[in-house]
Amino acid sequence: MHLEHIKKVDPQIAEAIEEELERQRNTIELIASENCTSQAVMEACGSVLTNKYAEGKPHKRYYNGCEYIDVIEELAQKRACELFHMGHANVQPHSGAQANMAVFMATMKPGDRVLSMDLSNGGHLSHGSPVNFSGMYFDVKSYGINENGEIDYENVRQLAHEHKPKLIICGASNYSKIIDFKKFREIADEVGALLLADIAHIAGLVAAGLHPSPAGYAQFVTTTTHKSLRGPRGGIIMCDEKYAKDIDKAVFPGMQGGPLEHIIAGKAVALLEASKPEFKEYAAQIIKNAKALAQGLIDEGLDIVGGMTENHLMTLDLRRTGKTGKDMANVLEKVGITANKNTVPNDPQSPFVTSGIRLGTPAVTTRGFKENDMREVAKIIAGAISASDDETALENLRQRSLKLCKAHPLYE
């Protein structure tokens, strides 16, 4: 990674970037919403495109000098539509939350009713949390998961008929099972609701054909580009063509100004990468690694919400260990593993403490980890839980995780 110009202009920032690079190289990244982009994506994001203002849409800009910007944005739109089999794509949202906000703005008025997955059961802040715009301005009703860690579709149907929402949201930030988009559309049609599928976490798996697609079922599909899709940090909205104008107006001028065209270029590169055969192999390995990690943790006597994963993530239930998610996330960091605390169903702890840890495999799979590596990671995690107060044991575990990182170098 070349930082010669930053070193001359701002050595403090250059030093922090270099230290972050070393942290990433020497850490097993199990935060399910993180990944490591390609060098090509990073080059696009650090390009001269950051200099250009381009409010509006291709060929309908409020600024001159956008002829090459239009080429880039149209490529990103075309690639998103082709990859996910949707009629229209807006690639301007700065994040997944803003993509969701635009769908809310395009389809509803404040006070309208939404049915979505409860945050504590695996939903997302922007699906109706009281502390988020979605919960502040809309009437949100929630569904959850059952004792098997699965969505109870009959319960969703009952809630939909009871509450008559205008919009139903499927998709989650922490759900380890396959989502049945067809069932959700059937339920939405029964009550006259629109359907939004937020595939932020599983977009890479959907693109690779390894998770069912919402195309043909959801009128609106939102995603981030930086999780299993392995692109830059940002969002995309896809929709049926009949909703294209409403979505585009909601994004601009509705909720944001000039698009980040350097990030859109990074999105375009990532979407092209995701269309290649090798990406399908990569996505398949993500799932293999997740299953190996989950089974390894179970073999160590630990509990996984729902018993097993069907995608890229899982939640480690710590209730039987007497540990909290907050404490164990900090302990894992000591042994060179980053993960995030997360609630479990019917969690006795607060969302600031939690009884769970969310674990995901996209980033380590990018580095080349395979099933045997994930089994070793499971042993390190189990060891950290057992030896959380033993500094010598934790240092030994740190050396084991460092050995795995050295075997799978990042950005060498």
Side-chain angles (χ1 to χ4, degrees):
M1 187 171 289
H2 303 293
L3 300 173
E4 60 267 22
H5 295 99
I6 302 179
K7 286 178 180 179
K8 290 177 183 177
V9 173
D10 194 335
Q12 289 176 295
I13 292 295
E15 182 181 4
I17 292 172
E18 288 181 328
E19 288 175 345
E20 171 60 14
L21 175 59
E22 286 307 298
R23 186 198 69 80
Q24 290 185 24
R25 282 173 170 165
N26 297 320
T27 301
I28 297 172
E29 183 55 76
L30 294 182
I31 293 176
S33 52
E34 293 189 11
N35 208 332
C36 309
T37 73
S38 68
Q39 295 276 16
V41 167
M42 283 195 285
E43 285 181 9
C45 294
S47 70
V48 296
L49 299 173
T50 195
N51 299 339
K52 192 72 191 85
Y53 239 116
E55 285 181 355
K57 294 290 292 176
H59 311 293
K60 295 181 180 179
R61 305 289 188 179
Y62 288 79
Y63 291 81
N64 282 37
C66 292
E67 57 266 37
Y68 305 114
I69 296 297
D70 289 348
V71 170
I72 290 165
E73 189 166 332
E74 285 185 319
L75 278 171
Q77 290 175 300
K78 179 174 180 287
R79 290 170 183 176
C81 289
E82 289 176 351
L83 193 61
F84 293 102
H85 309 290
M86 295 293 293
H88 177 75
N90 187 305
V91 296
Q92 293 187 3
H94 301 330
S95 68
Q98 284 186 284
N100 288 337
M101 181 186 289
V103 176
F104 276 62
M105 186 178 289
T107 61
M108 294 186 292
K109 294 185 171 77
D112 282 348
R113 185 163 290 169
V114 178
L115 178 62
S116 63
M117 181 181 278
D118 183 76
L119 179 64
S120 66
N121 278 229
H124 190 261
L125 278 170
S126 62
H127 295 175
S129 170
V131 300
N132 184 260
F133 83 92
S134 52
M136 291 177 182
Y137 295 106
F138 298 92
D139 181 14
V140 180
K141 306 300 179 183
S142 299
Y143 60 88
I145 59 176
N146 61 25
E147 63 277 6
N148 297 319
E150 299 172 342
I151 295 168
D152 182 337
Y153 292 94
E154 189 52 41
N155 177 248
V156 175
R157 175 174 279 108
Q158 291 170 3
L159 290 169
H161 279 271
E162 178 183 351
H163 297 297
K164 299 292 192 298
K166 190 166 185 180
L167 180 72
I168 295 177
I169 304 177
C170 55
S173 66
N174 189 30
Y175 184 65
S176 62
K177 302 301 176 73
I178 297 296
I179 298 171
D180 191 331
F181 298 114
K182 183 174 183 289
K183 282 185 181 176
F184 269 108
R185 178 56 184 266
E186 289 170 356
I187 293 167
D189 285 347
E190 287 174 18
V191 297
L194 294 168
L195 182 63
L196 162 60
D198 182 343
I199 62 168
H201 265 274
I202 57 172
L205 309 183
V206 171
L210 299 172
H211 185 290
S213 170
Y217 300 115
Q219 289 98 341
F220 306 93
V221 177
T222 58
T223 184
T224 53
T225 48
H226 53 273
K227 299 183 177 85
S228 59
L229 199 56
R230 205 167 60 182
R233 300 191 65 82
I236 296 176
I237 307 169
M238 293 163 284
C239 63
D240 294 345
E241 192 64 47
K242 66 183 287 189
Y243 300 105
K245 287 184 179 179
D246 290 336
I247 286 294
D248 289 348
K249 283 173 59 180
V251 174
F252 174 84
M255 46 162 254
Q256 63 185 46
L260 308 178
E261 292 295 341
H262 55 306
I263 302 301
I264 289 173
K267 293 174 187 178
V269 173
L271 291 164
L272 180 64
E273 290 174 343
S275 70
K276 304 295 185 184
E278 51 267 33
F279 187 88
K280 185 168 185 175
E281 294 174 10
Y282 160 71
Q285 191 63 49
I286 287 176
I287 297 172
K288 290 177 186 176
N289 283 348
K291 289 181 181 295
L293 177 59
Q295 189 59 56
L297 292 167
I298 291 168
D299 291 345
E300 292 294 324
L302 297 169
D303 297 328
I304 299 293
V305 173
M308 183 46 70
T309 180
E310 295 176 341
N311 54 29
H312 66 299
L313 62 74
M314 69 214 69
T315 303
L316 178 59
D317 187 338
L318 296 166
R319 284 178 290 186
R320 284 200 303 114
T321 71
K323 313 287 186 180
T324 68
K326 179 180 179 181
D327 288 342
M328 283 315 306
N330 292 332
V331 170
L332 288 177
E333 192 163 12
K334 288 184 180 180
V335 303
I337 295 173
T338 44
N340 63 281
K341 65 181 183 288
N342 213 97
T343 54
V344 300
N346 303 310
D347 201 324
Q349 301 287 350
S350 77
F352 301 101
V353 177
T354 81
S355 298
I357 293 283
R358 186 182 66 164
L359 305 169
T361 57
V364 288
T365 306
T366 296
R367 293 185 67 160
F369 280 54
K370 297 288 173 60
E371 291 94 324
N372 283 339
D373 300 311
M374 301 317 299
R375 285 186 273 271
E376 168 67 357
V377 171
K379 289 183 169 117
I380 295 170
I381 293 171
I385 292 170
S386 300
S388 56
D389 298 320
D390 185 336
E391 293 298 328
T392 301
L394 293 178
E395 178 55 30
N396 289 336
L397 292 168
R398 175 73 182 101
Q399 292 306 310
R400 286 167 65 179
S401 66
L402 191 58
K403 183 178 178 181
L404 285 170
C405 290
K406 297 298 183 187
H408 302 289
L410 178 66
Y411 299 134
E412 292 294 330

